[in-house]
Amino acid sequence: MHVVATAGHVDHGKSTLVHALTGIDPDRFGEEKARGLTIDLGFAWATLPTGRELAFVDVPGHIRFIKNMLAGVGAVDACVFVVAATEGWKPQSEEHLRILELLGVRHGLVALTKVAVVDDDHRELARLDVADHVAGTFLEGAEVVDVDAITGRGLEELRAGLDRLLVATPTAPDVGRPRLWVDRSFAAKGSGTVVTGTLTGGRLAVDDELVLVPGGRAVRVRALQSHQTSLDDVGPGRRVAVNLVGVGHDDVVRGDALLRGGQWHLTRRLDASLAVLASLDHEVSRRGAYVAYLGSGERPVRLRVLGGSALLPGEAGLVRLHLAEELPLIPGDRFVLRETGRAETVGGGEVLDVDPIVPASRARPDRSTARVVAERGWVEAEVLTLLTGVAQEPQVGPWVVDPSALAATRAEVERAIDDAGPLGLDVAALDPKERAVLATLDDIELDAGRARRPGAVDPLVDHPYLAALQAAPFAPPLPDGVDRGELRELVRRGLVLASDGTWFAPDALDAAAHTVAGLLAEQPDGLTVAQIRDALGTSRKFLLPLLALLDAQGITRRRGDLRVAGPRLPPA
Ligand SMILES: Nc1nc2c(ncn2[C@@H]2O[C@H](COP(=O)(O)OP(=O)(O)OP(=O)(O)O)[C@@H](O)[C@H]2O)c(=O)[nH]1
Ligand SMILES: [Mg+2]
């Protein structure tokens, strides 16, 4: 399945040829038929001798309707370039060829039309004329087929030529990210809003929840058609009509995009390459009123030349474009730039950066992902995927990180670990990026939420205060002279139990629990504080905080003035 555009000067026979090949008159409007002039895009389709299907987007040749031509050729796979043998190469032959070049069309053939009304010499001259003008373009060496759509001469050769052309023409790839630039929106009887366009990037299916951009309106697909056949789902590289729920046909215009929410970076600002046509008679600078043809739309833009102030005719450079509305763009999207004041095609290029963050004075955009990462240092893989249009795997946590930014954070984390010494670095004190980096470090031990170098002796395990507490379990000394940070860490790790300004060894609690269990076995109705105090040989001053710990751990429970068995009381 391919979508092929016509191109060529006004009246050279584009629509007549499409009609002859498909049986469908692409001129849809009464005025077009009456004047014999295409005004807006026309659509038709056919099956070639080999069974291959193709859709035509038929464009107007008249210079006044160039913006309609531009709306139709943005997403096509190939072109049929029409030159009338009666007239040869004309101004819009030239302009259409330039536009196709700028939009990156790389496949096509030439139909030399009206050959039945010229003699052989004329026809040969026209052929030479065409060969001259396509030299150095994608049409150099393309097949040139003599046809006459009125007599039917050459139509079979043209069909065979299209078959040969399309065998060698890649179809629009499916990257799971559909985008339909709308070229028509209308109300269909009984079914509501229908939009049409050339689908690229992925599939659409009935019941899909989609959004319309700009604006972000949520819509649902009620029905789909391609070539007037209803389908449940449809792949890229086709002309598609989408019946939408959730929007009136007047609220969608040519140039809007239909897509899945969350799959696109929407931007008002982009960096791009710009090739200026050699035929232009003035330089391109920020002065001038420009429109960019992006997708199927005509967009007013402000332009700034990067790395200079102007581009000369025939020169290629870099520009930053500012749009009036947010568009779903990815690097590689192509555009044509025209100047509205002079109504002339200035040039065109390729989107390089859909979210430029470097000031225009320093920006040097290119298509490389590494540049996008380097400019940011850290970028979430999901965001990078939107910015590049290519699926990106995270490197560290959810991020892709510039090598120098990663090295810097790594060094910081290592230094912090070394500074923390044998106690280890409290991982909770790190920010998420540092924590993600920590997880990538080899030579680090993680224990109880602290990171330290392996082999670093933990000073807490043999801490003298532990020995002091153990030596006097029921008359524990105060932590005088113990470093506060170490004490906090001892408590946090459960090496020391704190209660009400008194500190105990865990052994003290175990011993007390056993003693109490023994007493309660004999006296299950409860023990007085004095009984426990005497059994442990301690004083009230130490016993009350100790009982608070026993209660808190569920070893004992209070009942009035007595202590009875709690759920965690050990067996006697
Ligand atoms: N004899 C002859 N006449 C042709 C042929 N192709 C087109 N014509 C005539 O040329 C005129 C213009 O044809 P169209 O098909 O409308 O030309 P077009 O390129 O679509 O014109 P625009 O869309 O306005 O740019 C019509 O009167 C056609 O009948 C052909 O192959 N032979
Ligand atoms: Mg026409």
Side-chain angles (χ1 to χ4, degrees):
M1 192 72 217
H2 289 89
V3 181
V4 175
T6 59
H9 197 73
V10 62
D11 253 4
H12 276 202
K14 298 178 289 298
S15 303
T16 307
L17 188 60
V18 168
H19 195 170
L21 287 169
T22 65
I24 299 167
D25 184 357
D27 284 337
R28 297 174 285 134
F29 301 106
E31 187 188 352
E32 293 180 316
K33 292 184 201 291
R35 292 170 62 186
L37 180 80
T38 302
I39 295 169
D40 203 357
L41 300 172
F43 306 98
W45 54 92
T47 305
L48 293 172
T50 59
R52 183 185 308 278
E53 278 184 83
L54 88 166
F56 281 103
V57 177
D58 182 43
V59 309
H62 197 288
I63 187 161
R64 266 184 50 213
F65 309 125
I66 190 101
K67 67 185 259 190
N68 294 338
M69 181 271 179
L70 281 156
V73 293
V76 301
D77 305 307
C79 75
V80 171
F81 201 89
V82 170
V83 180
T86 47
E87 292 198 313
W89 200 261
K90 299 287 277 183
Q92 263 59 60
S93 314
E94 184 64 27
E95 185 162 34
H96 282 199
L97 179 57
R98 292 296 143 217
I99 286 169
L100 294 172
E101 284 261 292
L102 293 170
L103 290 176
V105 175
R106 288 290 166 267
H107 305 271
L109 57 71
V110 178
L112 197 63
T113 55
K114 308 194 185 184
V115 292
V117 289
V118 294
D119 56 29
D120 288 354
D121 286 351
H122 252 89
R123 204 186 62 228
E124 268 321 299
L125 279 177
R127 264 186 177 260
L128 292 174
D129 196 18
V130 168
D132 255 10
H133 284 99
V134 302
T137 75
F138 73 97
L139 285 178
E140 177 170 336
E143 252 187 85
V144 180
V145 184
D146 295 347
V147 286
D148 194 287
I150 304 293
T151 65
R153 172 172 157 194
L155 284 178
E156 281 322 302
E157 288 85 336
L158 183 58
R159 287 196 180 93
L162 281 167
D163 247 332
R164 282 189 294 275
L165 169 70
L166 295 182
V167 171
T169 301
T171 50
D174 185 344
V175 293
R177 201 176 46 231
R179 182 174 61 178
L180 184 108
W181 290 110
V182 172
D183 47 40
R184 273 185 302 162
S185 171
F186 53 91
K189 244 184 240 129
S191 50
T193 301
V194 174
V195 301
T196 70
T198 304
L199 179 63
T200 58
R203 307 186 71 81
L204 292 181
V206 171
D207 287 335
D208 274 357
E209 307 282 347
L210 304 174
V211 290
L212 278 164
V213 177
R217 184 193 287 266
V219 292
R220 187 171 58 79
V221 177
R222 180 189 284 145
L224 284 169
Q225 284 195 346
S226 186
H227 306 173
Q228 286 181 358
T229 304
S230 291
L231 299 167
D232 289 334
D233 72 319
V234 55
R238 302 182 70 113
R239 292 290 311 169
V240 179
V242 191
N243 179 198
L244 293 176
V245 183
V247 66
H249 75 276
D250 286 340
D251 293 327
V252 194
V253 294
R254 174 174 288 177
D256 287 356
L258 184 65
L259 31 92
R260 277 193 226 300
Q263 287 196 318
W264 296 85
H265 178 78
L266 304 180
T267 189
R268 276 170 195 265
R269 195 179 57 198
L270 59 109
D271 286 353
S273 62
L274 177 66
V276 178
L277 293 184
S279 55
L280 209 67
D281 63 4
H282 57 93
E283 61 178 29
V284 175
S285 70
R286 63 195 311 169
R287 287 196 311 278
Y290 299 102
V291 286
Y293 292 83
L294 264 163
S296 55
E298 179 190 57
R299 335 275 179 183
V301 290
R302 282 188 299 112
L303 170 154
R304 168 151 181 192
V305 176
L306 301 176
S309 59
L311 291 172
L312 299 172
E315 207 180 356
L318 300 168
V319 291
R320 178 160 296 176
L321 299 180
H322 295 267
L323 302 163
E325 287 182 306
E326 286 189 332
L327 291 182
L329 300 176
I330 45 170
D333 283 340
R334 297 246 170 192
F335 66 97
V336 167
L337 193 71
R338 286 178 53 86
E339 201 171 335
T340 47
R342 309 179 196 232
E344 67 187 356
T345 300
V346 164
E350 182 183 29
V351 174
L352 300 174
D353 192 334
V354 297
D355 185 24
I357 58 169
V358 174
S361 55
R362 290 193 283 111
R364 289 298 171 274
D366 58 27
R367 283 281 300 271
S368 100
T369 300
R371 176 192 58 81
V372 177
V373 176
E375 288 174 358
R376 286 162 175 76
W378 293 71
V379 52
E380 283 175 27
E382 284 183 19
V383 172
L384 191 59
T385 299
L386 297 187
L387 296 182
T388 58
V390 180
Q392 305 284 344
E393 288 303 315
Q395 243 181 324
V396 178
W399 290 281
V400 178
V401 193
D402 176 61
S404 68
L406 182 59
T409 307
R410 200 168 257 162
E412 267 166 41
V413 171
E414 290 192 327
R415 196 178 323 115
I417 291 171
D418 290 338
D419 288 352
L423 191 56
L425 177 71
D426 184 0
V427 174
L430 297 177
D431 71 25
K433 288 172 184 165
E434 292 168 331
R435 226 172 298 153
V437 164
L438 177 66
T440 70
L441 297 177
D442 288 336
D443 198 22
I444 299 297
E445 247 173 33
L446 273 175
D447 176 37
R450 300 189 84 86
R452 64 177 72 79
R453 297 283 184 196
V457 179
D458 183 348
L460 295 181
V461 175
D462 296 324
H463 200 283
Y465 187 49
L466 294 183
L469 290 176
Q470 276 156 3
F474 301 120
L478 286 172
D480 295 331
V482 177
D483 176 89
R484 291 289 116 174
E486 288 180 7
L487 181 63
R488 226 178 301 119
E489 184 58 17
L490 286 167
V491 171
R492 207 180 63 79
R493 286 205 230 163
L495 295 170
V496 168
L497 304 174
S499 177
D500 252 343
T502 309
W503 285 264
F504 297 93
D507 290 355
L509 197 75
D510 293 344
H514 267 100
T515 304
V516 169
L519 293 175
L520 282 173
E522 285 162 25
Q523 200 181 312
D525 288 345
L527 308 170
T528 66
V529 169
Q531 283 177 316
I532 302 172
R533 181 196 62 202
D534 294 346
L536 295 178
T538 182
S539 69
R540 198 177 162 81
K541 169 181 158 198
F542 297 116
L543 183 63
L544 291 184
L546 187 60
L547 281 177
L549 285 174
L550 290 170
D551 290 346
Q553 298 207 358
I555 294 163
T556 53
R557 232 166 4 105
R558 259 184 110 135
R559 185 186 289 160
D561 288 339
L562 300 178
R563 285 301 192 293
V564 297
R568 299 246 179 76
L569 184 73

PDB file of all heavy atoms in Angstrom, residues 14-16 27 37-38 58-61, ligand 2:
ATOM      1  N   LYS A  14      -2.741  16.366 -14.795  1.00  0.00           N
ATOM      2  CA  LYS A  14      -2.619  15.531 -13.592  1.00  0.00           C
ATOM      3  C   LYS A  14      -3.945  14.841 -13.263  1.00  0.00           C
ATOM      4  O   LYS A  14      -4.007  13.614 -13.081  1.00  0.00           O
ATOM      5  CB  LYS A  14      -2.179  16.398 -12.386  1.00  0.00           C
ATOM      6  CG  LYS A  14      -0.807  17.044 -12.558  1.00  0.00           C
ATOM      7  CD  LYS A  14      -0.426  17.917 -11.397  1.00  0.00           C
ATOM      8  CE  LYS A  14      -1.217  19.222 -11.298  1.00  0.00           C
ATOM      9  NZ  LYS A  14      -1.047  20.130 -12.451  1.00  0.00           N
ATOM     10  N   SER A  15      -5.006  15.657 -13.179  1.00  0.00           N
ATOM     11  CA  SER A  15      -6.289  15.089 -12.760  1.00  0.00           C
ATOM     12  C   SER A  15      -6.843  14.148 -13.815  1.00  0.00           C
ATOM     13  O   SER A  15      -7.404  13.091 -13.498  1.00  0.00           O
ATOM     14  CB  SER A  15      -7.298  16.221 -12.487  1.00  0.00           C
ATOM     15  OG  SER A  15      -6.771  17.104 -11.513  1.00  0.00           O
ATOM     16  N   THR A  16      -6.673  14.522 -15.070  1.00  0.00           N
ATOM     17  CA  THR A  16      -7.162  13.673 -16.163  1.00  0.00           C
ATOM     18  C   THR A  16      -6.458  12.311 -16.115  1.00  0.00           C
ATOM     19  O   THR A  16      -7.068  11.259 -16.307  1.00  0.00           O
ATOM     20  CB  THR A  16      -6.903  14.365 -17.519  1.00  0.00           C
ATOM     21  OG1 THR A  16      -7.461  15.681 -17.469  1.00  0.00           O
ATOM     22  CG2 THR A  16      -7.525  13.595 -18.658  1.00  0.00           C
ATOM     23  N   ASP A  27     -11.231  15.667  -9.136  1.00  0.00           N
ATOM     24  CA  ASP A  27     -11.792  17.002  -8.969  1.00  0.00           C
ATOM     25  C   ASP A  27     -13.189  16.851  -8.377  1.00  0.00           C
ATOM     26  O   ASP A  27     -14.118  16.393  -9.045  1.00  0.00           O
ATOM     27  CB  ASP A  27     -11.825  17.754 -10.306  1.00  0.00           C
ATOM     28  CG  ASP A  27     -10.433  18.244 -10.691  1.00  0.00           C
ATOM     29  OD1 ASP A  27      -9.588  18.404  -9.784  1.00  0.00           O
ATOM     30  OD2 ASP A  27     -10.188  18.452 -11.893  1.00  0.00           O
ATOM     31  N   LEU A  37     -10.134  23.000 -13.627  1.00  0.00           N
ATOM     32  CA  LEU A  37      -8.989  23.450 -12.860  1.00  0.00           C
ATOM     33  C   LEU A  37      -9.088  22.847 -11.472  1.00  0.00           C
ATOM     34  O   LEU A  37     -10.139  22.925 -10.845  1.00  0.00           O
ATOM     35  CB  LEU A  37      -9.062  24.973 -12.752  1.00  0.00           C
ATOM     36  CG  LEU A  37      -7.966  25.679 -11.985  1.00  0.00           C
ATOM     37  CD1 LEU A  37      -6.740  25.811 -12.874  1.00  0.00           C
ATOM     38  CD2 LEU A  37      -8.439  27.071 -11.540  1.00  0.00           C
ATOM     39  N   THR A  38      -8.013  22.234 -11.019  1.00  0.00           N
ATOM     40  CA  THR A  38      -8.047  21.713  -9.650  1.00  0.00           C
ATOM     41  C   THR A  38      -7.770  22.856  -8.681  1.00  0.00           C
ATOM     42  O   THR A  38      -6.831  23.637  -8.884  1.00  0.00           O
ATOM     43  CB  THR A  38      -6.999  20.610  -9.470  1.00  0.00           C
ATOM     44  OG1 THR A  38      -7.263  19.577 -10.421  1.00  0.00           O
ATOM     45  CG2 THR A  38      -7.054  20.029  -8.055  1.00  0.00           C
ATOM     46  N   ASP A  58      -4.191  13.988  -5.547  1.00  0.00           N
ATOM     47  CA  ASP A  58      -4.034  14.827  -6.737  1.00  0.00           C
ATOM     48  C   ASP A  58      -3.991  16.288  -6.308  1.00  0.00           C
ATOM     49  O   ASP A  58      -4.872  16.765  -5.606  1.00  0.00           O
ATOM     50  CB  ASP A  58      -5.209  14.590  -7.700  1.00  0.00           C
ATOM     51  CG  ASP A  58      -5.061  15.417  -8.968  1.00  0.00           C
ATOM     52  OD1 ASP A  58      -3.937  15.476  -9.501  1.00  0.00           O
ATOM     53  OD2 ASP A  58      -6.069  16.015  -9.413  1.00  0.00           O
ATOM     54  N   VAL A  59      -2.947  16.980  -6.736  1.00  0.00           N
ATOM     55  CA  VAL A  59      -2.744  18.344  -6.246  1.00  0.00           C
ATOM     56  C   VAL A  59      -3.036  19.351  -7.359  1.00  0.00           C
ATOM     57  O   VAL A  59      -2.941  19.026  -8.545  1.00  0.00           O
ATOM     58  CB  VAL A  59      -1.297  18.542  -5.732  1.00  0.00           C
ATOM     59  CG1 VAL A  59      -0.933  17.448  -4.741  1.00  0.00           C
ATOM     60  CG2 VAL A  59      -0.298  18.583  -6.882  1.00  0.00           C
ATOM     61  N   PRO A  60      -3.380  20.575  -6.966  1.00  0.00           N
ATOM     62  CA  PRO A  60      -3.563  21.621  -7.977  1.00  0.00           C
ATOM     63  C   PRO A  60      -2.212  22.137  -8.468  1.00  0.00           C
ATOM     64  O   PRO A  60      -1.258  22.231  -7.702  1.00  0.00           O
ATOM     65  CB  PRO A  60      -4.325  22.715  -7.220  1.00  0.00           C
ATOM     66  CG  PRO A  60      -3.976  22.517  -5.780  1.00  0.00           C
ATOM     67  CD  PRO A  60      -3.685  21.051  -5.601  1.00  0.00           C
ATOM     68  N   GLY A  61      -2.155  22.500  -9.746  1.00  0.00           N
ATOM     69  CA  GLY A  61      -0.912  23.029 -10.303  1.00  0.00           C
ATOM     70  C   GLY A  61      -0.866  24.549 -10.286  1.00  0.00           C
ATOM     71  O   GLY A  61       0.206  25.141 -10.364  1.00  0.00           O
TER      72      GLY A  61
HETATM   73 MG    MG B   2      -5.991  18.906 -11.685  1.00  0.00          MG
END
